[in-house]
Amino acid sequence: MEIRPLADGDTEAVLDLNEQSVEALSPLDAPALAHYRSLAAAALVCEVDAEVAAFALAYAPGTAYTSINYLWHGLCFDDFFYLDRISVHRAFRRRGIATALYDALEQQAAAHRRMVCEVNSEPPNPESLAFHKGRGYLEIGHLIQLNGHVTVMLEKPL
């Protein structure tokens, strides 16, 4: 398992991973991914046996990123590290990949004193909520999304 920066050659794999998890994330195409990468403080992939098994995008404060969730956290905190999206390929789940990505991201987030993110609660995502709780994330609010989904807003003080 290797955690490394997302490269141009990873675009197709990342778009496929995003599509697998689109209900928990949001749609993504190549131009949007290129734009989001240009704003990201961290754009990582996890490679297993030469295959992209997961990816993550995270943002520091003060970027031009306009996600409703990012903006919500910006109203709450002056400094934060926002995990926008993460997806692990179904065939690679339960192998510690998400844990490895979170470890890498939280290490980078330490300079910002907190990592923040959100998890769907309507529709429910109990596995993700349990994962975050186990890592020390605290519920700090709820946000109704434009599509009517409700998310639990989370913070992990670092």
Side-chain angles (χ1 to χ4, degrees):
M1 177 184 335
E2 177 189 6
I3 306 289
R4 61 170 176 75
L6 194 157
D8 290 342
D10 300 322
T11 297
E12 185 177 328
V14 167
L15 294 177
D16 288 343
L17 284 167
N18 193 86
E19 188 59 31
Q20 283 184 22
S21 300
V22 74
E23 292 172 3
L25 303 173
S26 59
L28 188 63
D29 60 19
L33 176 59
H35 175 68
Y36 294 160
R37 277 181 63 201
S38 74
L39 300 174
L44 303 175
V45 296
C46 178
E47 194 173 71
V48 177
D49 298 329
E51 185 175 346
V52 174
F55 83 98
L57 296 174
Y59 301 87
T63 71
Y65 191 54
T66 58
S67 154
I68 186 174
N69 301 310
Y70 174 81
L71 296 172
W72 188 93
H73 287 294
L75 293 173
C76 295
F77 304 111
D78 291 332
D79 200 4
F80 60 94
F81 196 76
Y82 171 65
L83 175 58
D84 178 62
R85 63 181 72 216
I86 182 169
S87 180
V88 179
H89 190 287
R90 289 180 187 102
F92 291 96
R93 292 186 182 161
R94 303 279 185 225
R95 296 190 191 183
I97 291 171
T99 296
L101 278 169
Y102 269 75
D103 289 347
L105 292 164
E106 288 172 3
Q107 184 175 21
Q108 191 170 344
H112 300 279
R113 301 185 321 271
R114 70 182 47 86
M115 191 155 107
V116 297
C117 60
E118 75 284 333
V119 173
N120 284 343
S121 60
E122 287 298 325
N125 191 340
E127 295 86 6
S128 184
L129 287 170
F131 173 82
H132 286 88
K133 183 177 181 181
R135 289 191 66 87
Y137 284 79
L138 309 170
E139 184 176 315
I140 57 172
H142 292 84
L143 183 62
I144 299 173
Q145 304 292 310
L146 298 175
N147 63 6
H149 292 184
V150 178
T151 54
V152 177
M153 308 306 274
L154 302 169
E155 173 201 16
K156 181 176 183 180
L158 300 168

Coordinates of all heavy atoms in Angstrom, one line a residue, residues 53-140:
A53 N -6.6 2.3 -5.4 CA -7.6 1.7 -4.6 C -8.5 2.7 -3.9 O -9.6 2.4 -3.4 CB -7.0 0.8 -3.6
A54 N -8.0 4.0 -3.7 CA -8.7 5.0 -3.0 C -8.2 6.4 -3.4 O -7.1 6.5 -3.9 CB -8.6 4.8 -1.5
F55 N -9.0 7.4 -3.1 CA -8.5 8.8 -3.2 C -9.1 9.7 -2.2 O -10.2 9.3 -1.6 CB -8.8 9.3 -4.6 CG -10.1 9.9 -4.9 CD1 -10.4 11.2 -4.8 CD2 -11.2 9.0 -5.1 CE1 -11.7 11.7 -5.0 CE2 -12.5 9.5 -5.3 CZ -12.7 10.9 -5.2
A56 N -8.5 10.8 -2.0 CA -9.1 11.8 -1.0 C -8.7 13.2 -1.5 O -7.6 13.4 -2.0 CB -8.6 11.5 0.4
L57 N -9.6 14.2 -1.3 CA -9.3 15.6 -1.5 C -9.6 16.4 -0.3 O -10.7 16.2 0.4 CB -10.2 16.1 -2.7 CG -10.0 15.5 -4.0 CD1 -11.1 16.0 -5.0 CD2 -8.6 15.8 -4.6
A58 N -8.7 17.3 0.1 CA -8.9 18.1 1.3 C -8.4 19.5 1.1 O -7.5 19.7 0.2 CB -8.1 17.5 2.5
Y59 N -9.0 20.4 1.8 CA -8.8 21.9 1.6 C -8.5 22.6 2.9 O -9.0 22.3 3.9 CB -10.0 22.5 1.0 CG -10.4 21.9 -0.4 CD1 -11.2 20.8 -0.4 CD2 -9.8 22.3 -1.5 CE1 -11.5 20.1 -1.6 CE2 -10.1 21.7 -2.7 CZ -10.9 20.6 -2.8 OH -11.2 20.0 -4.0
A60 N -7.6 23.6 2.8 CA -7.3 24.5 3.9 C -8.2 25.7 3.8 O -8.8 25.9 2.7 CB -5.8 24.9 3.8
P61 N -8.3 26.5 4.8 CA -9.1 27.7 4.7 C -8.5 28.7 3.7 O -7.4 28.7 3.4 CB -9.1 28.2 6.1 CG -7.9 27.7 6.8 CD -7.6 26.4 6.1
G62 N -9.4 29.6 3.2 CA -9.0 30.7 2.4 C -8.9 30.3 0.9 O -8.3 31.1 0.1
T63 N -9.4 29.2 0.5 CA -9.4 28.9 -1.0 C -10.6 29.3 -1.6 O -11.6 29.7 -0.9 CB -9.2 27.3 -1.2 OG1 -10.4 26.7 -0.9 CG2 -8.1 26.7 -0.4
A64 N -10.7 29.2 -2.9 CA -11.9 29.6 -3.7 C -12.9 28.5 -3.8 O -13.8 28.5 -4.6 CB -11.5 30.1 -5.1
Y65 N -12.7 27.4 -3.0 CA -13.6 26.3 -3.1 C -14.9 26.7 -2.5 O -15.0 27.3 -1.5 CB -13.0 25.1 -2.3 CG -13.7 23.8 -2.5 CD1 -13.9 23.3 -3.7 CD2 -14.2 23.1 -1.4 CE1 -14.5 22.1 -3.9 CE2 -14.8 21.9 -1.5 CZ -15.0 21.4 -2.8 OH -15.7 20.2 -3.0
T66 N -16.0 26.3 -3.2 CA -17.3 26.9 -2.9 C -18.3 25.8 -2.4 O -19.5 26.1 -2.4 CB -17.9 27.6 -4.1 OG1 -18.0 26.7 -5.2 CG2 -17.1 28.8 -4.5
S67 N -17.8 24.7 -2.0 CA -18.7 23.7 -1.4 C -19.5 24.2 -0.2 O -18.9 24.9 0.6 CB -17.9 22.5 -1.0 OG -18.5 21.7 0.1
I68 N -20.8 23.9 -0.2 CA -21.6 24.4 0.9 C -21.1 23.9 2.3 O -21.1 24.6 3.3 CB -23.1 24.0 0.7 CG1 -24.0 24.6 1.8 CG2 -23.2 22.5 0.7 CD1 -25.5 24.3 1.6
N69 N -20.5 22.7 2.3 CA -20.0 22.1 3.5 C -18.7 22.8 3.9 O -18.5 23.2 5.1 CB -19.7 20.6 3.3 CG -21.0 19.9 3.0 OD1 -22.0 20.0 3.6 ND2 -20.9 19.1 1.9
Y70 N -17.8 23.1 3.0 CA -16.6 23.9 3.2 C -16.9 25.3 3.8 O -16.3 25.7 4.7 CB -15.8 24.0 1.9 CG -14.5 24.8 2.0 CD1 -13.4 24.3 2.5 CD2 -14.6 26.1 1.5 CE1 -12.2 25.1 2.6 CE2 -13.4 26.9 1.5 CZ -12.3 26.4 2.1 OH -11.1 27.2 2.1
L71 N -17.9 25.9 3.1 CA -18.3 27.2 3.6 C -18.9 27.2 5.0 O -18.6 28.1 5.8 CB -19.2 27.9 2.6 CG -18.7 28.1 1.2 CD1 -19.8 28.5 0.2 CD2 -17.5 29.1 1.2
W72 N -19.6 26.2 5.3 CA -20.2 26.0 6.6 C -19.1 25.9 7.7 O -19.2 26.6 8.7 CB -21.1 24.8 6.7 CG -21.9 24.6 7.9 CD1 -23.2 25.0 8.2 CD2 -21.5 23.9 9.2 NE1 -23.6 24.7 9.4 CE2 -22.6 24.0 10.1 CE3 -20.3 23.3 9.6 CZ2 -22.5 23.5 11.3 CZ3 -20.3 22.8 10.8 CH2 -21.3 22.9 11.7
H73 N -18.1 25.1 7.4 CA -17.0 25.0 8.4 C -16.2 26.3 8.5 O -15.8 26.7 9.6 CB -16.1 23.8 8.0 CG -16.6 22.5 8.2 ND1 -16.9 22.0 9.5 CD2 -17.0 21.5 7.4 CE1 -17.4 20.8 9.4 NE2 -17.5 20.5 8.2
G74 N -16.1 27.0 7.4 CA -15.5 28.3 7.4 C -16.2 29.4 8.3 O -15.5 30.3 8.8
L75 N -17.5 29.2 8.4 CA -18.2 30.1 9.3 C -18.0 29.7 10.8 O -18.1 30.6 11.7 CB -19.7 30.0 9.0 CG -20.2 30.6 7.7 CD1 -21.6 30.3 7.4 CD2 -19.9 32.1 7.6
C76 N -17.7 28.5 11.0 CA -17.4 28.0 12.4 C -16.0 28.2 12.9 O -15.8 28.4 14.1 CB -17.8 26.5 12.5 SG -19.5 26.1 12.2
F77 N -15.0 28.1 12.0 CA -13.6 28.1 12.4 C -12.8 29.0 11.5 O -13.0 29.1 10.3 CB -13.1 26.6 12.3 CG -13.8 25.6 13.0 CD1 -14.5 24.6 12.4 CD2 -13.8 25.6 14.4 CE1 -15.2 23.6 13.1 CE2 -14.5 24.6 15.1 CZ -15.2 23.6 14.4
D78 N -11.8 29.7 12.1 CA -10.9 30.5 11.4 C -9.9 29.6 10.7 O -9.4 29.9 9.6 CB -10.1 31.4 12.3 CG -11.0 32.5 12.8 OD1 -12.0 32.9 12.1 OD2 -10.8 33.0 13.9
D79 N -9.5 28.5 11.3 CA -8.5 27.6 10.8 C -9.0 26.1 10.9 O -9.5 25.7 11.9 CB -7.2 27.7 11.6 CG -6.0 27.2 10.8 OD1 -6.2 26.8 9.6 OD2 -4.9 27.2 11.3
F80 N -8.9 25.4 9.8 CA -9.4 24.0 9.7 C -8.8 23.4 8.5 O -8.2 24.0 7.6 CB -10.9 24.0 9.7 CG -11.5 24.7 8.5 CD1 -11.8 24.1 7.3 CD2 -11.7 26.1 8.5 CE1 -12.3 24.7 6.2 CE2 -12.2 26.8 7.4 CZ -12.5 26.1 6.2
F81 N -8.9 22.1 8.5 CA -8.5 21.3 7.3 C -9.7 20.5 6.9 O -10.1 19.6 7.7 CB -7.3 20.4 7.7 CG -6.5 19.8 6.5 CD1 -5.7 20.6 5.8 CD2 -6.7 18.5 6.2 CE1 -4.9 20.1 4.7 CE2 -6.0 18.0 5.1 CZ -5.1 18.8 4.4
Y82 N -10.3 20.7 5.8 CA -11.6 20.1 5.4 C -11.4 19.0 4.4 O -10.9 19.1 3.3 CB -12.4 21.2 4.7 CG -13.7 20.7 4.1 CD1 -14.7 20.1 4.9 CD2 -13.9 20.7 2.7 CE1 -15.8 19.6 4.3 CE2 -15.0 20.2 2.1 CZ -16.0 19.6 2.9 OH -17.1 19.1 2.4
L83 N -11.8 17.8 4.9 CA -11.8 16.6 4.0 C -13.1 16.6 3.2 O -14.2 16.5 3.8 CB -11.7 15.3 4.8 CG -11.9 14.0 4.0 CD1 -10.8 13.9 2.9 CD2 -11.8 12.8 5.0
D84 N -13.0 16.9 1.9 CA -14.2 17.0 1.1 C -14.7 15.7 0.6 O -15.9 15.5 0.6 CB -13.8 17.9 -0.1 CG -15.0 18.0 -1.1 OD1 -16.0 18.6 -0.7 OD2 -14.9 17.6 -2.2
R85 N -13.8 14.9 0.1 CA -14.3 13.6 -0.4 C -13.2 12.5 -0.2 O -12.0 12.8 -0.4 CB -14.8 13.7 -1.8 CG -13.8 14.1 -2.8 CD -14.4 14.2 -4.2 NE -15.3 15.3 -4.3 CZ -16.4 15.4 -5.0 NH1 -16.9 14.4 -5.7 NH2 -17.1 16.5 -5.1
I86 N -13.7 11.3 0.0 CA -12.8 10.1 0.1 C -13.6 9.0 -0.4 O -14.8 8.9 -0.1 CB -12.2 9.9 1.5 CG1 -11.3 8.7 1.5 CG2 -13.4 9.8 2.5 CD1 -10.5 8.6 2.9
S87 N -13.0 8.1 -1.2 CA -13.6 6.9 -1.7 C -12.6 5.8 -1.8 O -11.5 6.0 -2.2 CB -14.2 7.2 -3.1 OG -14.8 6.0 -3.6
V88 N -13.0 4.6 -1.3 CA -12.2 3.4 -1.3 C -13.0 2.4 -2.2 O -14.2 2.2 -2.0 CB -12.0 2.8 0.1 CG1 -11.2 1.5 0.0 CG2 -11.3 3.8 1.0
H89 N -12.3 1.9 -3.2 CA -12.9 0.9 -4.1 C -13.4 -0.3 -3.3 O -12.8 -0.8 -2.3 CB -11.8 0.4 -5.1 CG -12.3 -0.5 -6.2 ND1 -12.8 -1.7 -6.0 CD2 -12.5 -0.2 -7.5 CE1 -13.2 -2.2 -7.2 NE2 -13.0 -1.3 -8.1
R90 N -14.6 -0.7 -3.7 CA -15.3 -1.8 -2.9 C -14.4 -3.0 -2.7 O -14.4 -3.7 -1.7 CB -16.6 -2.2 -3.7 CG -17.7 -1.2 -3.6 CD -18.9 -1.7 -4.4 NE -19.9 -0.6 -4.4 CZ -20.1 0.2 -5.5 NH1 -19.4 0.0 -6.6 NH2 -21.0 1.2 -5.5
A91 N -13.6 -3.4 -3.7 CA -12.8 -4.6 -3.6 C -11.6 -4.4 -2.6 O -11.0 -5.4 -2.3 CB -12.2 -4.9 -5.0
F92 N -11.3 -3.2 -2.2 CA -10.2 -2.9 -1.3 C -10.7 -2.5 0.1 O -9.8 -2.1 0.9 CB -9.3 -1.9 -1.9 CG -8.6 -2.3 -3.1 CD1 -9.1 -2.0 -4.4 CD2 -7.4 -3.1 -3.0 CE1 -8.4 -2.5 -5.5 CE2 -6.7 -3.5 -4.2 CZ -7.2 -3.2 -5.4
R93 N -11.9 -2.6 0.4 CA -12.4 -2.1 1.7 C -12.0 -3.2 2.8 O -11.8 -4.3 2.5 CB -13.9 -1.9 1.7 CG -14.2 -0.7 0.8 CD -15.7 -0.3 0.8 NE -15.9 0.8 -0.1 CZ -17.0 1.2 -0.5 NH1 -18.1 0.5 -0.2 NH2 -17.1 2.2 -1.3
R94 N -11.9 -2.7 4.0 CA -11.6 -3.5 5.2 C -10.1 -4.0 5.1 O -9.8 -5.0 5.7 CB -12.5 -4.7 5.3 CG -14.0 -4.4 5.4 CD -14.3 -4.0 6.8 NE -15.7 -3.7 7.0 CZ -16.2 -2.7 7.6 NH1 -15.4 -1.8 8.2 NH2 -17.5 -2.5 7.8
R95 N -9.3 -3.1 4.5 CA -7.8 -3.5 4.5 C -7.0 -2.4 5.1 O -5.8 -2.3 4.9 CB -7.4 -3.6 3.0 CG -8.0 -4.8 2.3 CD -7.3 -5.0 1.0 NE -8.0 -6.0 0.2 CZ -7.6 -6.4 -1.0 NH1 -6.4 -5.9 -1.5 NH2 -8.3 -7.2 -1.7
G96 N -7.7 -1.4 5.8 CA -6.9 -0.3 6.4 C -6.6 0.8 5.5 O -5.8 1.7 5.9
I97 N -7.2 0.9 4.4 CA -6.8 2.0 3.4 C -7.4 3.3 3.9 O -6.7 4.3 3.9 CB -7.3 1.6 2.0 CG1 -6.5 0.4 1.5 CG2 -7.3 2.8 1.1 CD1 -6.9 -0.2 0.2
A98 N -8.7 3.3 4.3 CA -9.2 4.6 4.8 C -8.5 5.0 6.0 O -8.2 6.2 6.1 CB -10.7 4.4 5.1
T99 N -8.1 4.1 6.9 CA -7.3 4.5 8.1 C -6.0 5.1 7.7 O -5.6 6.1 8.2 CB -7.1 3.3 9.0 OG1 -8.4 2.8 9.4 CG2 -6.2 3.6 10.1
A100 N -5.3 4.5 6.7 CA -4.0 5.1 6.2 C -4.2 6.5 5.6 O -3.4 7.4 5.9 CB -3.4 4.1 5.2
L101 N -5.2 6.6 4.8 CA -5.5 8.0 4.2 C -5.8 9.0 5.3 O -5.3 10.1 5.3 CB -6.6 7.9 3.2 CG -6.2 7.4 1.8 CD1 -7.5 7.2 1.0 CD2 -5.3 8.5 1.1
Y102 N -6.7 8.6 6.3 CA -7.0 9.5 7.4 C -5.7 9.9 8.2 O -5.5 11.0 8.6 CB -8.1 9.0 8.3 CG -9.5 9.4 7.8 CD1 -10.1 8.8 6.7 CD2 -10.2 10.4 8.5 CE1 -11.3 9.2 6.3 CE2 -11.4 10.7 8.1 CZ -12.0 10.1 7.0 OH -13.3 10.5 6.6
D103 N -4.9 8.9 8.5 CA -3.6 9.1 9.2 C -2.8 10.2 8.5 O -2.3 11.1 9.1 CB -2.8 7.9 9.4 CG -3.4 6.9 10.3 OD1 -4.4 7.2 11.1 OD2 -3.0 5.7 10.4
A104 N -2.7 10.0 7.1 CA -1.9 11.0 6.4 C -2.5 12.4 6.4 O -1.8 13.4 6.5 CB -1.7 10.5 4.9
L105 N -3.8 12.4 6.2 CA -4.5 13.7 6.2 C -4.5 14.4 7.5 O -4.3 15.6 7.6 CB -6.0 13.5 5.7 CG -6.1 13.1 4.2 CD1 -7.5 12.6 4.0 CD2 -5.8 14.3 3.3
E106 N -4.7 13.6 8.6 CA -4.7 14.2 9.9 C -3.3 14.7 10.3 O -3.2 15.7 11.0 CB -5.2 13.2 11.0 CG -6.7 13.0 10.8 CD -7.3 11.9 11.7 OE1 -6.5 11.3 12.5 OE2 -8.5 11.6 11.6
Q107 N -2.3 14.1 9.8 CA -0.9 14.6 10.0 C -0.8 16.0 9.4 O -0.2 16.9 10.0 CB 0.1 13.6 9.5 CG 1.5 14.0 9.8 CD 2.5 12.9 9.3 OE1 2.2 12.1 8.5 NE2 3.7 12.9 9.9
Q108 N -1.3 16.1 8.2 CA -1.2 17.4 7.5 C -2.1 18.4 8.2 O -1.8 19.6 8.3 CB -1.6 17.2 6.0 CG -1.3 18.4 5.2 CD -1.4 18.2 3.7 OE1 -1.4 17.1 3.3 NE2 -1.5 19.3 3.0
A109 N -3.3 18.0 8.7 CA -4.2 18.8 9.3 C -3.8 19.4 10.7 O -4.3 20.4 11.1 CB -5.6 18.1 9.5
A110 N -2.8 18.7 11.3 CA -2.4 19.1 12.6 C -1.9 20.6 12.7 O -2.2 21.2 13.7 CB -1.2 18.2 13.1
A111 N -1.4 21.1 11.6 CA -1.0 22.5 11.6 C -2.2 23.4 11.7 O -2.0 24.6 12.0 CB -0.2 22.7 10.3
H112 N -3.3 22.9 11.3 CA -4.6 23.7 11.4 C -5.4 23.5 12.7 O -6.5 24.0 12.8 CB -5.4 23.4 10.2 CG -4.7 23.7 8.9 ND1 -4.7 25.0 8.4 CD2 -4.0 22.9 8.0 CE1 -4.0 25.0 7.2 NE2 -3.6 23.7 7.0
R113 N -4.9 22.6 13.5 CA -5.5 22.2 14.8 C -6.8 21.4 14.8 O -7.3 21.1 15.8 CB -5.7 23.5 15.7 CG -4.4 24.3 15.9 CD -4.6 25.5 16.8 NE -5.8 26.2 16.7 CZ -6.0 27.2 15.8 NH1 -5.0 27.6 15.1 NH2 -7.1 27.9 15.8
R114 N -7.3 21.2 13.6 CA -8.5 20.4 13.5 C -8.7 19.9 12.1 O -8.3 20.6 11.1 CB -9.7 21.2 13.9 CG -10.2 22.3 13.0 CD -11.4 23.1 13.5 NE -11.3 23.5 14.9 CZ -10.7 24.6 15.3 NH1 -10.1 25.4 14.5 NH2 -10.6 24.9 16.6
M115 N -9.3 18.7 12.0 CA -9.8 18.3 10.7 C -11.3 18.2 10.8 O -11.8 17.7 11.8 CB -9.2 16.9 10.3 CG -9.5 16.5 8.8 SD -8.3 15.4 8.1 CE -9.3 13.9 8.0
V116 N -12.0 18.6 9.7 CA -13.4 18.6 9.7 C -13.9 17.9 8.4 O -13.2 17.8 7.4 CB -14.0 20.1 9.7 CG1 -13.6 20.8 11.0 CG2 -13.5 20.9 8.5
C117 N -15.1 17.4 8.5 CA -15.7 16.7 7.4 C -17.2 16.6 7.7 O -17.7 17.1 8.7 CB -15.1 15.3 7.1 SG -15.2 14.2 8.5
E118 N -17.9 15.9 6.8 CA -19.3 15.6 7.0 C -19.6 14.2 6.5 O -18.9 13.6 5.7 CB -20.2 16.6 6.4 CG -20.4 16.5 4.9 CD -19.2 17.0 4.1 OE1 -18.4 17.9 4.6 OE2 -18.9 16.5 3.0
V119 N -20.7 13.6 7.1 CA -21.2 12.3 6.7 C -22.7 12.4 6.6 O -23.4 13.0 7.4 CB -20.8 11.2 7.8 CG1 -21.4 9.9 7.5 CG2 -19.3 11.1 7.9
N120 N -23.2 11.7 5.5 CA -24.7 11.7 5.4 C -25.3 11.0 6.5 O -24.9 10.0 7.0 CB -25.0 10.9 4.1 CG -24.8 11.7 2.8 OD1 -24.6 12.9 2.8 ND2 -24.7 11.0 1.7
S121 N -26.4 11.7 7.0 CA -27.3 11.0 8.0 C -28.6 10.7 7.4 O -29.3 9.8 7.9 CB -27.4 11.9 9.3 OG -28.0 13.1 9.0
E122 N -29.0 11.4 6.4 CA -30.2 11.1 5.6 C -29.9 11.3 4.2 O -29.8 12.4 3.7 CB -31.4 12.1 6.0 CG -32.0 11.8 7.4 CD -32.6 10.4 7.5 OE1 -33.2 10.0 6.4 OE2 -32.5 9.8 8.5
P123 N -29.7 10.3 3.4 CA -29.8 8.9 3.8 C -28.7 8.5 4.7 O -27.6 9.0 4.7 CB -29.7 8.1 2.4 CG -28.9 9.0 1.5 CD -29.2 10.4 2.0
P124 N -28.9 7.5 5.6 CA -28.0 7.1 6.6 C -26.7 6.5 6.1 O -26.8 5.8 5.1 CB -28.8 6.2 7.5 CG -29.9 5.8 6.7 CD -30.2 6.8 5.7
N125 N -25.6 6.7 6.8 CA -24.3 6.1 6.5 C -23.7 5.7 7.8 O -22.7 6.3 8.3 CB -23.4 7.1 5.7 CG -22.2 6.4 5.2 OD1 -21.8 5.3 5.6 ND2 -21.6 7.1 4.2
P126 N -24.3 4.7 8.5 CA -23.9 4.3 9.8 C -22.4 3.8 9.9 O -21.8 4.0 10.9 CB -24.9 3.2 10.3 CG -25.5 2.7 9.0 CD -25.4 3.8 8.0
E127 N -22.0 3.1 8.8 CA -20.6 2.7 8.8 C -19.6 3.8 8.9 O -18.6 3.8 9.7 CB -20.3 1.8 7.6 CG -21.1 0.5 7.5 CD -22.5 0.7 6.9 OE1 -22.8 1.8 6.4 OE2 -23.2 -0.3 6.9
S128 N -19.8 4.9 8.1 CA -19.0 6.0 8.1 C -19.0 6.8 9.5 O -18.0 7.2 10.0 CB -19.3 7.0 7.0 OG -18.4 8.0 6.9
L129 N -20.2 6.9 10.0 CA -20.4 7.6 11.3 C -19.6 6.8 12.4 O -18.9 7.4 13.2 CB -21.8 7.7 11.7 CG -22.6 8.8 10.9 CD1 -24.1 8.7 11.1 CD2 -22.1 10.2 11.2
A130 N -19.7 5.5 12.4 CA -19.0 4.7 13.3 C -17.5 4.8 13.2 O -16.7 4.9 14.2 CB -19.4 3.2 13.2
F131 N -17.0 4.8 11.9 CA -15.6 5.0 11.6 C -15.1 6.3 12.2 O -14.1 6.3 12.9 CB -15.4 4.9 10.1 CG -13.9 5.2 9.7 CD1 -13.0 4.2 9.7 CD2 -13.6 6.5 9.2 CE1 -11.7 4.5 9.3 CE2 -12.3 6.8 8.8 CZ -11.3 5.8 8.9
H132 N -15.8 7.4 11.9 CA -15.4 8.7 12.4 C -15.4 8.8 13.9 O -14.5 9.3 14.6 CB -16.2 9.8 11.8 CG -15.9 10.0 10.4 ND1 -16.5 9.3 9.3 CD2 -15.0 10.9 9.8 CE1 -16.0 9.7 8.2 NE2 -15.0 10.7 8.4
K133 N -16.5 8.2 14.5 CA -16.5 8.2 16.0 C -15.4 7.5 16.6 O -14.7 8.0 17.6 CB -17.9 7.6 16.5 CG -18.0 7.7 18.0 CD -19.4 7.1 18.4 CE -19.5 7.2 19.9 NZ -20.8 6.6 20.4
G134 N -15.0 6.4 16.0 CA -13.9 5.6 16.5 C -12.5 6.3 16.4 O -11.6 6.0 17.1
R135 N -12.5 7.3 15.4 CA -11.2 8.1 15.3 C -11.3 9.3 16.1 O -10.3 10.1 16.0 CB -11.0 8.4 13.8 CG -10.7 7.2 12.9 CD -10.2 7.6 11.6 NE -9.0 8.4 11.6 CZ -7.7 7.9 11.6 NH1 -7.6 6.5 11.5 NH2 -6.7 8.6 11.6
G136 N -12.3 9.6 16.8 CA -12.3 10.7 17.7 C -13.0 12.0 17.1 O -12.9 13.1 17.7
Y137 N -13.8 11.8 16.1 CA -14.5 12.9 15.5 C -15.8 13.2 16.3 O -16.5 12.3 16.8 CB -14.9 12.6 14.0 CG -13.8 12.8 13.1 CD1 -12.8 11.8 13.0 CD2 -13.6 14.0 12.4 CE1 -11.7 11.9 12.2 CE2 -12.5 14.1 11.6 CZ -11.5 13.1 11.5 OH -10.4 13.3 10.7
L138 N -16.1 14.5 16.5 CA -17.2 14.9 17.3 C -18.2 15.6 16.4 O -17.9 16.3 15.5 CB -16.7 16.0 18.3 CG -15.5 15.6 19.2 CD1 -15.0 16.8 20.0 CD2 -15.9 14.4 20.1
E139 N -19.5 15.3 16.7 CA -20.6 15.9 16.0 C -20.7 17.4 16.4 O -20.9 17.7 17.6 CB -21.9 15.2 16.3 CG -23.1 15.6 15.5 CD -24.3 14.8 15.8 OE1 -24.2 13.6 15.8 OE2 -25.4 15.4 16.0
I140 N -20.7 18.3 15.4 CA -20.8 19.7 15.8 C -22.0 20.4 15.1 O -22.2 21.6 15.3 CB -19.5 20.5 15.4 CG1 -19.1 20.3 13.9 CG2 -18.3 20.0 16.3 CD1 -18.0 21.1 13.4

